């Protein structure tokens, strides 16, 4: 009888924990180093963008919430080279600059850091 109660307790606690982890969305890394090919890597402040942009789908509609997703999709030819850069990053930065709002870099070296 006691064993049975214990087993039920453990199972209930287990399902409760799974419920919590599904409910709280994985925010991903605070900063992400993105591969920028020959132009050099990009230090991308992920959480700054989550706060500034709000909607995850603005970026994650073109690539999933998985580390290395952009590179993988480019290798599989499902994303063109510079597609995310032009259609997502620069599109927003330029529009906000034009509107006179707080924005991110629009020049190459503002994003790409060449290894010395
Ligand atoms: C401004 C663009 C942008 C926004 C908005 C954004 N992300 Fe991301 N996210 C990225 C990029 C870029 C990557 C890295 C993809 C890669 O490695 O190819 C990423 C990766 C991730 C990953 C994978 C783990 C990691 O750290 O690499 C998770 C999880 C994630 N994002 C969650 C979220 C959630 C949740 C939101 C909304 C609250 C969000 N993201 C909003 C751009 C964004
Ligand atoms: C707002 C940030 C940002 C700016 C500004 C920017 N880039 Fe990029 N660039 C990226 C990101 C993110 C990637 C990787 C994703 C992709 O390929 O779309 C990238 C990728 C690249 C690549 C590699 C493509 C590949 O797959 O081999 C080259 C080359 C490149 N950029 C050149 C440039 C040049 C030239 C400029 C200036 C005219 C520039 N970038 C400005 C963010 C930026
Ligand atoms: C929907 C709008 C939007 C998109 C999409 C977006 N950004 Fe930004 N970005 C911003 C805003 C707004 C800021 C200024 C945030 C701040 O200073 O609080 C910013 C700032 C930055 C900065 C400068 C951060 C600093 O410390 O000064 C970098 C680098 C950057 N973005 C890179 C990127 C890259 C790379 C992508 C694409 C993967 C991207 N951004 C996509 C709106 C956007």
């Amino acid at each position: 009888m006691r064993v049975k109660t214990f087993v039920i307790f453990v199972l209930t606690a287990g399902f409760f924990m799974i419920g919590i982890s599904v409910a709280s969305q994985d925010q991903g890394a605070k900063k992400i180093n993105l591969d920028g090919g020959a132009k050099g890597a990009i230090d991308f402040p992920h959480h700054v963008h989550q706060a500034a942009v709000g909607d995850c789908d603005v970026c994650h509609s073109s690539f999933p919430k998985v580390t290395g997703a952009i590179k993988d999709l480019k290798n599989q030819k499902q994303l063109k080279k510079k597609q995310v850069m032009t259609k997502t990053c620069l599109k927003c930065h330029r529009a906000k600059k034009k509107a006179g709002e707080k924005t991110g870099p629009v020049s190459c070296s503002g994003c790409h850091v060449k290894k010395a």
Side-chain angles (χ1 to χ4, degrees):
M1 188 61 189
R2 277 212 182 126
V3 172
K4 215 173 171 184
T5 311
F6 180 71
V7 168
I8 288 167
F9 170 75
V10 168
L11 284 176
T12 310
F15 282 120
F16 185 62
M17 302 278 277
I18 290 168
I20 288 177
S21 62
V22 169
S24 62
Q25 191 170 206
D26 179 4
Q27 300 298 118
K30 191 165 183 244
K31 287 199 170 164
I32 301 175
N33 194 259
L34 295 172
D35 185 349
K39 201 73 192 157
I42 302 110
D43 263 329
F44 173 64
H46 191 214
H47 289 186
V48 165
H49 282 82
Q50 289 180 1
V53 178
D55 184 5
C56 312
D57 282 346
V58 169
C59 295
H60 287 295
S61 59
S62 54
F63 56 91
K65 300 183 183 91
V66 175
T67 308
I70 298 173
K71 210 176 175 183
D72 288 348
L73 289 173
K74 284 201 286 190
N75 287 338
Q76 293 160 24
K77 313 265 184 243
Q78 294 193 50
L79 274 177
K80 292 196 188 94
K81 289 180 173 184
K82 303 196 208 176
Q83 185 174 327
V84 170
M85 164 182 135
T86 310
K87 300 267 169 73
T88 305
C89 316
L90 275 170
K91 192 181 166 196
C92 175
H93 289 183
R94 283 186 179 137
K96 285 192 177 288
K97 194 186 175 193
K98 214 177 159 191
E101 292 169 21
K102 199 173 183 184
T103 189
V106 292
S107 74
C108 316
S109 60
C111 281
H112 292 275
V113 182
K114 274 243 168 99
K115 283 178 223 109

